[in-house]
Amino acid sequence: MKTKSRRRSVAVFPGTFDPITNGHVDIITRCLSVFDEVIVAILVNSEKRPLFTVDERIDLIRQAYRKNPRVRVETFSGLLVDYAMKVDATVIVRGLRAISDFEYELQMALMNRRLNPRIETVFMMAPESYSYLSSRLVKEVFHLGGDVSGLVPALVERRLREKSAPEGYVVPRRRRRRSR
Ligand code: PNS
């Protein structure tokens, strides 16, 4: 008996990712248990003045998922729904942290549906432990000397330290804790 081959499910997880946080990592990881492939799509936005360049952000996310061929990291500009169609994705995934996110996300989801009803937006709730976490706050806390460990991947923390170090200074690697 012939079995019908199922179409690969591809989801786009769009954002600015300046930089990627553990909240983003949590969403991407959970997407992998629902979709066959996740495309992390970085918006190239000339209006914003990001801390990390697009290439740096690509590198940070690729490093985090270098062992997982089901995660792709790309950039896009223009309409998100057009990009989703181009890469054969049927779903846009967004994370929701708090009620305050909802209004903006609802507007985007409804506008995207109006633009292209074939693309569905799916929301994933951030875990309580990351419900206050954002790239903007990470940058602010870091620049004011606060501790951001546990909020971003270790490599991101290192790159933040490199960015704020005086020219020529080599930031030492954080020593790995010995596992017990
Ligand atoms: O990480 P962010 O800044 O919350 O991500 C916002 C993003 C990239 C998802 C949003 O700005 C976007 O989709 N921009 C693409 C332009 C677009 O499609 N606009 C119309 C739909 S609202």
Side-chain angles (χ1 to χ4, degrees):
M1 197 174 73
K2 264 190 186 172
T3 50
K4 258 193 187 172
S5 62
R6 186 176 64 87
R7 196 179 154 191
R8 265 176 82 73
S9 57
V10 180
V12 170
F13 183 43
T16 309
F17 303 103
D18 183 39
I20 186 169
T21 68
N22 284 348
H24 296 126
V25 170
D26 173 81
I27 303 275
I28 297 167
T29 305
R30 282 156 56 204
C31 278
L32 287 170
S33 61
V34 181
F35 306 105
D36 295 316
E37 188 176 359
V38 180
I39 302 176
V40 181
I42 303 171
L43 174 69
V44 179
N45 185 350
S46 53
E47 281 166 34
K48 278 196 185 175
R49 291 189 56 218
L51 176 65
F52 290 96
T53 65
V54 169
D55 286 343
E56 286 170 334
R57 283 178 272 158
I58 293 175
D59 182 53
L60 286 172
I61 307 173
R62 285 204 177 134
Q63 292 285 345
Y65 289 97
R66 65 185 186 283
K67 289 191 185 134
N68 196 326
R70 289 167 60 212
V71 177
R72 238 159 78 192
V73 187
E74 293 191 349
T75 58
F76 78 102
S77 55
L79 285 177
L80 175 58
V81 287
D82 291 347
Y83 170 76
M85 287 297 283
K86 200 180 88 184
V87 292
D88 256 343
T90 50
V91 171
I92 292 168
V93 175
R94 293 285 289 170
L96 275 185
R97 291 163 299 190
I99 296 174
S100 50
D101 280 344
F102 182 78
E103 202 175 328
Y104 170 63
E105 294 298 336
L106 177 70
Q107 283 177 354
M108 276 210 302
L110 294 181
M111 181 57 84
N112 282 332
R113 188 196 289 167
R114 184 178 187 277
L115 291 168
N116 189 335
R118 281 186 288 171
I119 310 283
E120 196 63 62
T121 300
V122 167
F123 293 105
M124 286 199 178
M125 302 300 159
E128 281 150 38
S129 49
Y130 295 143
S131 59
Y132 58 90
L133 182 56
S134 70
S135 301
R136 185 184 62 78
L137 270 188
V138 163
K139 286 181 282 190
E140 186 175 317
V141 169
F142 180 82
H143 286 304
L144 295 173
D147 180 13
V148 296
S149 58
L151 301 180
V152 290
L155 181 62
V156 172
E157 203 188 328
R158 185 174 153 77
R159 292 281 156 83
L160 281 167
R161 278 190 274 136
E162 280 167 1
K163 279 218 178 270
S164 60
E167 220 174 295
Y169 175 77
V170 180
V171 175
R173 277 178 186 280
R174 212 174 51 181
R175 287 174 74 187
R176 283 224 184 122
R177 259 193 232 145
R178 255 200 259 153
S179 53
R180 275 183 276 177

